[in-house]
């Protein structure tokens, strides 16, 4: 392992020193090992590097002489302002010199800047190479000599290499397998963006339909945790295994296992199942989806239909719901019974009860009249009509309580 680490010294042949050259800049590049980096205001050298203007500043050692350098003044700033890829401790970066902010007043004022970390292990997770002089036996066992050269292969599930205060190596993070023409951006933790296309002779999830060159864009956050192979073996996105993903397709068919595909509400021509549809679509797949607006509307529009499909239920919590439709069926697509209009029904029942009360009232009056033609008053009829009048009057008074104070129809 030490021979390999010191083999990196050969990189320094491109330049003789890490010190800035006089003049407006330098085309020379120097390989250095990162020993510290300023990422926030808690760093003890935050003010020294210019406070927030110095975020991303690294302190380094030259890989050719890691034992004798004083690190207090060896610092460099990131070369790019819009793309941030800050190195980890023990990763190797290339330095070069360019003008500092005060170069307009002092032409020779130049300083060190650095490129993104060197891809030593061909790993998107980290490319750290520790100082060979302080490498212990446990660390040495993590590096193996193969036919293709030295490789980083963690066997014990962990690492003793210092990579930073919070960065913990995850040995099972796989790189993405590329296909011809791909443009891939990978984070260190199984998050990625792939600009790709259909590749008909491949075994990926998206090339079952379509032709070579049909575009597809895949955004993934968190790889499938159940990938069994060696972490050096590349993987592809797995729509049913990755933690969260977004697919933008053109002609592709994706084997998405939807949580629910119950389309019984459709009288005819239900939607194509998600795992059978081939064409342009946007798929969001995750443990939970939240759509939120802070100042304006949330609009869902569709050329055909909008389907709400859930295993447990659909719930609406809002102070106002309006459904403007020429046909609403409740309970089933085969519903045939018509709903009654509440206000008109109450008015009709009220008229009927008024008539019944009038009839009962007339019967009651006949029941109490003096004997006519030898017929005596009927006490039973008197009691029955009196009770009926009370019940009918009470029923009429309760009619308005049948009307909903929230739900209305036309």
């Amino acid at each position: 392992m030490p021979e390999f680490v010191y083999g990196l010294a050969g990189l320094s042949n491109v330049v003789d020193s890490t010190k800035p050259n006089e003049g407006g800049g330098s085309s020379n590049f120097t390989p250095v090992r990162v020993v510290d980096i300023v990422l926030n205001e808690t760093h003890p050298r935050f003010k020294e590097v210019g406070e927030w203007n110095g975020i991303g500043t690294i302190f380094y050692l030259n890989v050719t002489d890691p034992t004798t350098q004083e690190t207090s003044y060896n610092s460099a700033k990131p070369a790019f302002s819009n793309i941030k890829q800050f190195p980890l401790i023990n990763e190797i970066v290339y330095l070069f010199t360019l003008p500092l902010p005060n170069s307009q007043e002092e032409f020779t004022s130049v300083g060190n800047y650095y490129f993104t970390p060197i891809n030593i292990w061909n790993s998107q997770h980290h490319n750290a190479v520790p100082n060979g002089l302080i490498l212990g036996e446990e660390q040495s066992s993590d590096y193996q000599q193969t036919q293709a050269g030295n490789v980083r292969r963690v066997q014990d599930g962990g690492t003793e290499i210092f990579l930073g205060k919070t960065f913990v190596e995850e040995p099972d993070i796989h790189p993405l397998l590329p296909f011809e023409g791909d443009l891939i951006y990978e984070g260190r933790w199984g998050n990625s963006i792939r600009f790709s296309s259909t590749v008909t002779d491949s075994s990926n999830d998206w090339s079952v339909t379509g032709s070579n060159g049909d575009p597809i864009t895949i955004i993934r956050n968190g790889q499938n945790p159940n990938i069994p192979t060696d972490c050096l073996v590349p993987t592809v996105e797995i729509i049913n295994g990755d933690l969260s993903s977004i697919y933008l397709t053109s002609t592709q068919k994706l084997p998405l296992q939807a949580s629910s595909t119950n389309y019984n509400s459709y009288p005819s021509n239900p939607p194509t199942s998600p795992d059978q549809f081939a064409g342009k679509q946007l798929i969001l797949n995750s443990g939970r989806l939240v759509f939120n607006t802070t100042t304006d509307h949330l609009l869902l529009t569709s050329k055909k239909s909008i389907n709400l499909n859930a295993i447990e239920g659909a719930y609406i919590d809002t102070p106002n719901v309006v459904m403007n439709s020429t046909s609403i069926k409740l309970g089933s697509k085969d519903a045939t019974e018509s709903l009654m209009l509440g206000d008109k029904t109450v008015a009709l029942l009220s008229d009927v009860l008024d008539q019944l009360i009038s009839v009962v009232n007339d019967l009651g009056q006949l029941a109490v009249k003096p004997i006519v033609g030898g017929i005596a008053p009927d006490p039973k009829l008197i009691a029955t009509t009196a009770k009926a009048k009370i019940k009918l009057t009470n029923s009429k008074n309760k009619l308005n309580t049948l009307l909903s104070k929230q739900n209305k129809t036309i």
Side-chain angles (χ1 to χ4, degrees):
M1 178 60 192
E3 289 78 7
F4 172 69
V5 172
Y6 291 128
L8 292 172
L11 295 173
S12 65
N13 291 335
V14 295
V15 71
D16 295 329
S17 172
T18 62
K19 296 180 180 180
N21 295 339
E22 294 185 358
S26 171
S27 60
N28 295 324
F29 298 97
T30 306
V32 297
R33 176 180 290 106
V34 178
V35 296
D36 201 1
I37 184 169
V38 178
L39 294 176
N40 54 53
E41 74 279 14
T42 64
H43 195 282
R45 301 174 78 169
F46 176 70
K47 289 187 177 181
E48 175 187 333
V49 299
E51 298 184 345
W52 294 111
N53 191 47
I55 292 297
T57 297
I58 63 167
F59 300 94
Y60 59 84
L61 292 174
N62 194 312
V63 295
T64 62
D65 187 11
T67 60
T68 61
Q69 296 178 83
E70 170 60 51
T71 64
S72 299
Y73 305 104
N74 289 351
S75 65
K77 291 186 176 182
F80 306 110
S81 59
N82 300 101
I83 300 176
K84 307 292 196 306
Q85 187 182 351
F86 297 132
L88 297 171
I89 307 302
N90 282 311
E91 287 190 318
I92 306 298
V93 298
Y94 266 128
L95 299 188
F96 60 100
T97 57
L98 286 175
L100 290 173
N102 62 345
S103 61
Q104 289 184 335
E105 292 78 20
E106 186 179 349
F107 178 73
T108 59
S109 177
V110 294
N112 291 323
Y113 295 83
Y114 67 88
F115 285 119
T116 55
I118 305 302
N119 188 25
I120 290 178
W121 302 118
N122 197 28
S123 169
Q124 82 292 346
H125 187 49
H126 84 77
N127 286 278
V129 179
N131 186 341
L133 295 182
I134 62 173
L135 194 66
E137 182 179 348
E138 295 84 0
Q139 294 172 332
S140 297
S141 65
D142 285 343
Y143 296 85
Q144 300 177 7
Q145 181 71 36
T146 68
Q147 235 177 358
N150 285 273
V151 298
R152 168 86 170 136
R153 190 190 302 272
V154 178
Q155 301 290 355
D156 57 4
T159 178
E160 292 77 26
I161 298 175
F162 182 67
L163 300 170
K165 293 181 179 179
T166 62
F167 190 97
V168 178
E169 183 175 8
E170 295 288 346
D172 59 349
I173 299 294
H174 293 250
L176 281 180
L177 179 69
F179 300 98
E180 290 183 356
D182 279 3
L183 176 60
I184 300 175
Y185 294 94
E186 290 189 72
R188 298 183 187 266
W189 305 105
N191 37 9
S192 59
I193 302 176
R194 182 198 293 264
F195 299 93
S196 188
S197 65
T198 295
V199 185
T200 54
D201 62 348
S202 69
S203 59
N204 60 48
D205 274 357
W206 61 87
S207 296
V208 178
T209 60
S211 304
N212 287 332
D214 292 343
I216 186 171
T217 301
I218 304 172
I219 302 174
R220 177 196 63 162
N221 185 60
Q223 69 176 19
N224 184 355
N226 299 316
I227 303 175
T229 57
D230 189 311
C231 68
L232 294 181
V233 178
T235 185
V236 296
E237 296 86 344
I238 303 174
I239 192 170
N240 296 308
D242 297 331
L243 301 187
S244 296
S245 54
I246 300 175
Y247 285 72
L248 294 88
T249 70
S250 57
T251 63
Q252 295 82 9
K253 180 173 72 172
L254 298 171
L256 176 66
Q257 297 172 0
S259 297
S260 179
T261 55
N262 182 354
Y263 305 122
N264 291 335
S265 61
Y266 285 81
S268 61
N269 300 321
T272 303
S273 176
D275 62 345
Q276 296 300 315
F277 181 86
K280 55 184 180 181
Q281 61 179 328
L282 170 64
I283 293 179
L284 295 87
N285 189 41
S286 187
R288 174 172 171 165
L289 299 180
V290 177
F291 297 90
N292 179 64
T293 68
T294 59
T295 59
D296 210 293
H297 308 278
L298 174 64
L299 305 177
L300 299 177
T301 63
S302 175
K303 182 71 172 180
K304 290 187 175 181
S305 68
I306 296 176
N307 179 264
L308 299 178
N309 208 316
I311 294 177
E312 293 187 2
Y315 304 88
I316 300 176
D317 296 293
T318 181
N320 188 32
V321 176
V322 177
M323 299 179 67
N324 182 15
S325 176
T326 58
S327 176
I328 298 177
K329 294 186 177 182
L330 301 178
S332 171
K333 64 183 178 183
D334 300 319
T336 57
E337 292 292 322
S338 300
L339 298 178
M340 299 182 70
L341 300 178
D343 293 293
K344 292 184 178 180
T345 300
V346 166
L348 178 61
L349 291 175
S350 180
D351 289 341
V352 172
L353 289 174
D354 283 340
Q355 294 297 321
L356 287 174
I357 291 172
S358 179
V359 171
V360 168
N361 189 54
D362 290 343
L363 286 174
Q365 290 179 358
L366 288 175
V368 298
K369 282 185 176 182
I371 298 175
V372 178
I375 302 175
D378 187 348
K380 186 176 180 181
L381 180 59
I382 293 173
T384 300
T385 56
K387 291 179 180 179
K389 182 177 180 180
I390 294 173
K391 288 184 178 181
L392 290 171
T393 301
N394 288 339
S395 296
K396 179 183 177 182
N397 293 336
K398 293 178 180 179
L399 283 178
N400 285 330
T401 65
L402 303 178
L403 296 175
S404 173
K405 293 180 173 56
Q406 293 177 303
N407 306 317
K408 304 293 181 182
T409 186
I410 57 174

